[in-house]
Amino acid sequence: MTAPVDPLSPVRAELLRAARVSAGTVRDRARAEAEEALRSARGSAEAVLARARDLGTADGATAAARERVEAVQDAWTAELAARAEVYAALRAAVLAGVRRKFAEDASLRSRCEEAARRVLGPQARVTPVPEGGVRAEVPGRRIDLSADALAERALNGLGVRAETLWEPT
């Protein structure tokens, strides 16, 4: 016996073939779209990463510049403090030296008295200063030739030459 022939078999076969072709086309299009979406996503990710790198570099440069400014300011503060310390030590040494000279040489006080009378006149009232030297005055004028005042004048006389104190030797 022969098997009955299905009259719809050729139609089914054609529908199946058309469905397979259509599915292959859809699959190929989906694969192409997925590859394009992946390429686009990678490109976007690279752009975002490059932008983040640029921003990080800029932030780092800003932070480094800020740290450099702070370091320069800290160094300047330390240098000024060292200069003040050196100047204070010099001032103390000069003051002590002038006072010591007055203590060792009694003629210095009489020479200061003479100098005060030359400047203010013989009527000047001259007062000795315990640390050495004298102060003198006449109405409207006075002069300080004390050890401390003479030491201060000597230091002030250094002027800009005092800058050589902090220069390397």
Side-chain angles (χ1 to χ4, degrees):
M1 247 204 189
T2 60
V5 176
D6 182 8
L8 293 178
S9 182
V11 172
R12 267 193 218 110
E14 182 54 30
L15 284 175
L16 187 58
R17 186 198 62 75
R20 285 186 180 138
V21 168
S22 176
T25 302
V26 168
R27 183 189 65 229
D28 291 345
R29 191 175 331 119
R31 205 176 269 150
E33 287 174 2
E35 287 174 4
E36 178 56 32
L38 193 55
R39 259 192 310 277
S40 177
R42 283 184 181 137
S44 294
E46 287 173 11
V48 166
L49 185 59
R51 178 71 178 139
R53 234 184 257 121
D54 291 346
L55 290 173
T57 299
D59 286 350
T62 300
R66 185 175 28 256
E67 285 187 32
R68 278 192 302 276
V69 167
E70 289 173 4
V72 167
Q73 289 172 337
D74 290 347
W76 182 240
T77 299
E79 183 177 341
L80 289 178
R83 286 181 179 195
E85 192 176 311
V86 167
Y87 189 79
L90 172 67
R91 183 178 182 280
V94 168
L95 205 60
V98 173
R99 286 178 177 175
R100 188 174 49 254
K101 276 296 188 189
F102 271 95
E104 293 169 356
D105 187 354
S107 71
L108 286 177
R109 190 180 77 140
S110 62
R111 292 193 342 224
C112 285
E113 274 184 47
E114 291 170 12
R117 292 190 193 287
R118 267 195 315 275
V119 172
L120 298 177
Q123 75 284 8
R125 186 168 56 96
V126 178
T127 308
V129 176
E131 294 82 22
V134 298
R135 289 189 183 100
E137 61 181 288
V138 294
R141 294 175 58 202
R142 46 197 276 190
I143 189 167
D144 187 351
L145 297 176
S146 65
D148 292 358
L150 293 171
E152 286 296 329
R153 280 193 203 107
L155 287 170
N156 290 339
L158 282 175
V160 294
R161 289 178 295 163
E163 290 291 317
T164 61
L165 294 172
W166 8 99
E167 290 178 357
T169 55

